Coordinates of all heavy atoms in Angstrom, one line a residue:
E1 N 80.0 79.7 147.5 CA 78.7 79.4 146.8 C 77.7 78.8 147.8 O 76.6 79.3 147.8 CB 79.0 78.3 145.7 CG 77.7 77.8 145.1 CD 77.0 78.8 144.2 OE1 77.5 79.9 143.9 OE2 75.9 78.4 143.7
N2 N 78.0 77.9 148.6 CA 77.0 77.1 149.4 C 77.0 77.5 150.8 O 76.1 77.1 151.6 CB 77.3 75.6 149.3 CG 77.3 75.1 147.9 OD1 76.3 75.4 147.2 ND2 78.3 74.3 147.5
G3 N 77.9 78.3 151.3 CA 78.0 78.7 152.7 C 78.9 77.7 153.5 O 79.3 76.7 153.0
H4 N 79.2 78.1 154.7 CA 80.1 77.3 155.5 C 80.1 77.8 157.0 O 79.7 78.9 157.3 CB 81.6 77.4 155.0 CG 82.1 78.9 154.9 ND1 82.8 79.4 156.0 CD2 82.0 79.8 154.0 CE1 83.1 80.7 155.7 NE2 82.6 80.9 154.5
K5 N 80.6 76.9 157.8 CA 80.8 77.2 159.2 C 82.0 78.1 159.3 O 82.9 78.0 158.6 CB 81.0 76.0 160.1 CG 79.7 75.2 160.3 CD 80.1 74.1 161.3 CE 78.8 73.3 161.7 NZ 79.1 72.3 162.7
T6 N 82.0 79.0 160.3 CA 83.2 79.8 160.6 C 84.3 78.9 161.2 O 84.0 77.8 161.7 CB 82.8 81.0 161.6 OG1 82.4 80.4 162.8 CG2 81.8 81.9 161.0
C7 N 85.5 79.4 161.1 CA 86.6 78.7 161.7 C 86.4 78.3 163.1 O 86.9 77.3 163.6 CB 87.9 79.4 161.5 SG 88.4 79.6 159.7
E8 N 85.8 79.2 163.9 CA 85.6 79.0 165.3 C 84.4 78.1 165.6 O 84.1 77.8 166.7 CB 85.4 80.4 166.0 CG 86.5 81.3 165.8 CD 86.4 82.1 164.5 OE1 85.3 82.3 164.0 OE2 87.5 82.4 164.0
H9 N 83.7 77.7 164.5 CA 82.5 76.9 164.7 C 81.4 77.6 165.5 O 80.6 76.9 166.1 CB 82.8 75.5 165.2 CG 83.8 74.7 164.5 ND1 83.5 74.2 163.2 CD2 85.1 74.5 164.7 CE1 84.5 73.6 162.8 NE2 85.5 73.7 163.6
T10 N 81.4 78.9 165.5 CA 80.4 79.6 166.3 C 79.2 80.1 165.4 O 78.2 80.6 166.0 CB 81.1 80.8 166.9 OG1 81.6 81.6 165.9 CG2 82.1 80.4 167.9
G11 N 79.4 80.0 164.1 CA 78.3 80.5 163.3 C 78.3 80.0 161.9 O 79.2 79.2 161.5
W12 N 77.4 80.5 161.1 CA 77.3 80.0 159.7 C 77.4 81.2 158.8 O 76.7 82.2 159.0 CB 76.0 79.3 159.5 CG 75.7 78.9 158.1 CD1 75.0 79.5 157.2 CD2 76.2 77.7 157.5 NE1 75.0 78.8 156.0 CE2 75.8 77.7 156.2 CE3 77.1 76.7 157.9 CZ2 76.1 76.7 155.3 CZ3 77.4 75.7 157.0 CH2 76.9 75.7 155.7
V13 N 78.2 81.1 157.8 CA 78.3 82.2 156.7 C 77.4 81.7 155.6 O 77.7 80.6 155.0 CB 79.8 82.4 156.2 CG1 79.8 83.4 155.1 CG2 80.7 82.8 157.4
P14 N 76.4 82.4 155.3 CA 75.4 82.0 154.2 C 76.1 81.9 152.8 O 77.0 82.7 152.6 CB 74.3 83.0 154.2 CG 74.7 84.1 155.2 CD 76.0 83.7 155.9
G15 N 75.6 81.0 152.0 CA 76.1 80.9 150.6 C 75.6 82.1 149.8 O 74.6 82.7 150.1
Q16 N 76.4 82.4 148.8 CA 76.0 83.6 147.9 C 75.4 83.1 146.6 O 74.8 83.9 145.9 CB 77.2 84.4 147.6 CG 77.8 85.0 148.9 CD 78.8 86.1 148.7 OE1 78.8 86.8 147.7 NE2 79.7 86.2 149.6
F17 N 75.5 81.8 146.3 CA 74.8 81.2 145.1 C 75.0 81.9 143.8 O 74.2 81.9 143.0 CB 73.3 81.0 145.4 CG 73.0 80.3 146.7 CD1 72.6 80.9 147.8 CD2 73.3 78.9 146.8 CE1 72.4 80.3 149.0 CE2 73.1 78.2 148.0 CZ 72.6 78.9 149.1
F18 N 76.2 82.4 143.7 CA 76.6 83.1 142.4 C 76.7 82.2 141.2 O 76.4 82.6 140.1 CB 77.9 84.0 142.6 CG 79.1 83.1 142.9 CD1 80.0 82.8 141.9 CD2 79.4 82.7 144.2 CE1 81.1 82.0 142.2 CE2 80.5 82.0 144.5 CZ 81.3 81.6 143.5
M19 N 77.1 80.9 141.5 CA 77.2 80.0 140.4 C 75.8 79.6 139.9 O 75.6 79.5 138.7 CB 78.0 78.7 140.8 CG 79.4 79.0 141.1 SD 80.3 77.4 141.4 CE 81.2 77.9 142.9
K20 N 74.9 79.3 140.8 CA 73.5 78.9 140.4 C 72.9 80.1 139.7 O 72.2 79.9 138.6 CB 72.7 78.6 141.7 CG 71.3 78.1 141.3 CD 70.4 78.0 142.5 CE 69.0 77.6 142.2 NZ 68.4 78.4 141.2
E21 N 73.1 81.3 140.2 CA 72.5 82.5 139.5 C 73.1 82.6 138.1 O 72.3 82.9 137.2 CB 72.8 83.7 140.4 CG 72.2 85.0 139.8 CD 72.6 86.2 140.7 OE1 72.6 86.1 141.9 OE2 72.9 87.2 140.1
S22 N 74.4 82.4 138.0 CA 75.0 82.6 136.7 C 74.5 81.5 135.7 O 74.2 81.8 134.5 CB 76.5 82.4 136.8 OG 77.1 83.4 137.6
L23 N 74.4 80.3 136.1 CA 73.9 79.2 135.3 C 72.4 79.5 134.8 O 72.1 79.3 133.7 CB 73.9 77.9 136.0 CG 73.6 76.7 135.2 CD1 74.5 76.6 133.9 CD2 73.7 75.4 136.0
D24 N 71.6 80.0 135.8 CA 70.2 80.3 135.4 C 70.2 81.5 134.4 O 69.4 81.4 133.4 CB 69.4 80.8 136.6 CG 69.1 79.7 137.6 OD1 69.3 78.5 137.2 OD2 68.8 80.0 138.8
Q25 N 71.1 82.4 134.5 CA 71.1 83.5 133.5 C 71.6 83.1 132.2 O 71.0 83.4 131.2 CB 72.1 84.6 134.1 CG 71.5 85.4 135.2 CD 72.5 86.3 135.9 OE1 73.7 86.2 135.7 NE2 72.0 87.2 136.8
V26 N 72.6 82.2 132.1 CA 73.1 81.7 130.8 C 72.0 80.8 130.2 O 71.7 81.0 129.0 CB 74.4 80.9 131.0 CG1 74.8 80.2 129.7 CG2 75.5 81.8 131.5
N27 N 71.3 80.0 131.0 CA 70.2 79.2 130.4 C 69.1 80.0 129.8 O 68.6 79.7 128.8 CB 69.6 78.3 131.5 CG 70.5 77.1 131.7 OD1 71.2 76.6 130.9 ND2 70.4 76.5 132.9
S28 N 68.8 81.2 130.4 CA 67.8 82.0 129.9 C 68.2 82.7 128.6 O 67.4 83.2 127.8 CB 67.3 83.1 130.9 OG 68.3 84.0 131.1
Q29 N 69.5 82.8 128.4 CA 70.1 83.5 127.2 C 70.3 82.5 126.0 O 70.7 82.9 124.9 CB 71.4 84.2 127.5 CG 71.3 85.3 128.6 CD 72.7 85.7 129.1 OE1 73.7 85.2 128.6 NE2 72.7 86.5 130.1
L30 N 70.1 81.2 126.2 CA 70.5 80.2 125.2 C 69.9 80.5 123.8 O 70.6 80.4 122.8 CB 70.1 78.8 125.7 CG 71.1 78.2 126.7 CD1 70.6 76.9 127.2 CD2 72.5 78.2 126.3
P31 N 68.6 80.9 123.7 CA 68.1 81.1 122.3 C 68.9 82.2 121.6 O 69.1 82.1 120.4 CB 66.7 81.5 122.6 CG 66.3 80.9 123.9 CD 67.6 80.9 124.7
E32 N 69.4 83.2 122.3 CA 70.1 84.3 121.6 C 71.6 83.9 121.3 O 72.2 84.5 120.5 CB 70.1 85.5 122.5 CG 68.8 86.2 122.7 CD 68.0 85.6 123.9 OE1 68.6 85.2 124.9 OE2 66.8 85.5 123.7
L33 N 72.1 82.8 122.1 CA 73.5 82.4 121.9 C 73.6 81.4 120.8 O 74.8 81.2 120.3 CB 74.0 81.9 123.2 CG 74.1 82.9 124.4 CD1 74.4 82.2 125.7 CD2 75.1 84.0 124.0
I34 N 72.6 80.8 120.4 CA 72.6 79.8 119.3 C 73.0 80.6 118.0 O 72.4 81.6 117.7 CB 71.3 79.1 119.1 CG1 70.9 78.3 120.4 CG2 71.3 78.1 117.9 CD1 71.8 77.2 120.8
T35 N 73.9 80.1 117.2 CA 74.4 80.8 116.0 C 73.2 80.8 115.0 O 72.5 79.8 114.9 CB 75.6 80.2 115.4 OG1 75.3 78.8 115.1 CG2 76.8 80.3 116.3
P36 N 73.2 81.8 114.1 CA 72.2 81.8 113.1 C 72.2 80.6 112.2 O 71.2 80.1 111.7 CB 72.5 83.1 112.3 CG 73.2 84.0 113.3 CD 73.9 83.0 114.2
G37 N 73.5 80.1 111.9 CA 73.6 79.0 111.1 C 73.0 77.7 111.6 O 72.4 76.9 110.9
L38 N 73.0 77.6 113.0 CA 72.4 76.4 113.6 C 70.8 76.6 113.6 O 70.1 75.6 113.4 CB 72.9 76.3 115.1 CG 72.5 75.0 115.7 CD1 72.9 73.8 114.9 CD2 73.1 74.9 117.1
W39 N 70.4 77.8 113.7 CA 68.9 78.0 113.6 C 68.4 77.6 112.2 O 67.3 77.1 112.0 CB 68.5 79.5 113.9 CG 68.5 79.8 115.3 CD1 69.3 80.7 116.0 CD2 67.7 79.3 116.4 NE1 69.0 80.8 117.3 CE2 68.0 79.9 117.6 CE3 66.7 78.3 116.4 CZ2 67.4 79.6 118.8 CZ3 66.1 78.0 117.6 CH2 66.4 78.6 118.8
A40 N 69.3 77.9 111.2 CA 68.9 77.5 109.8 C 68.7 76.0 109.7 O 67.9 75.5 109.0 CB 70.0 78.0 108.8
F41 N 69.5 75.2 110.4 CA 69.4 73.7 110.4 C 68.0 73.4 111.0 O 67.3 72.4 110.6 CB 70.5 73.1 111.2 CG 71.7 72.9 110.4 CD1 72.8 73.7 110.5 CD2 71.8 71.8 109.5 CE1 73.9 73.6 109.7 CE2 72.9 71.6 108.7 CZ 74.0 72.5 108.8
R42 N 67.6 74.1 112.1 CA 66.3 73.8 112.7 C 65.2 74.0 111.7 O 64.3 73.2 111.6 CB 66.1 74.7 113.9 CG 64.8 74.5 114.6 CD 64.4 75.5 115.5 NE 64.1 76.7 114.7 CZ 63.4 77.7 115.2 NH1 63.1 77.8 116.4 NH2 63.1 78.8 114.4
D43 N 65.3 75.0 110.8 CA 64.3 75.3 109.8 C 64.2 74.2 108.8 O 63.2 73.8 108.3 CB 64.6 76.7 109.2 CG 64.4 77.8 110.2 OD1 63.8 77.6 111.2 OD2 65.0 78.9 109.9
I44 N 65.4 73.6 108.5 CA 65.4 72.5 107.5 C 64.8 71.3 108.1 O 64.1 70.6 107.4 CB 66.9 72.2 107.1 CG1 67.5 73.3 106.3 CG2 67.0 70.8 106.4 CD1 69.0 73.2 106.0

């Protein structure tokens, strides 16, 4: 996720940030993931 030094300490392997990307994607989907029944409570 975050990157690391190589075992030989000669370089840096960059992070892939797949967890951050996944979390951002899920956050953007939250309105669609809320159940219709919970939306009904919001209306009340």
Side-chain angles (χ1 to χ4, degrees):
E1 172 72 6
N2 299 313
H4 58 91
K5 284 186 175 181
T6 59
C7 292
E8 302 81 30
H9 302 287
T10 57
W12 178 261
V13 177
Q16 297 190 30
F17 306 107
F18 62 97
M19 291 185 227
K20 181 189 177 314
E21 181 182 321
S22 299
L23 187 59
D24 290 345
Q25 290 170 344
V26 171
N27 281 334
S28 71
Q29 298 168 5
L30 285 178
E32 295 86 37
L33 295 172
I34 302 296
T35 60
L38 192 54
W39 283 118
F41 277 99
R42 181 194 70 165
D43 295 339
I44 290 170

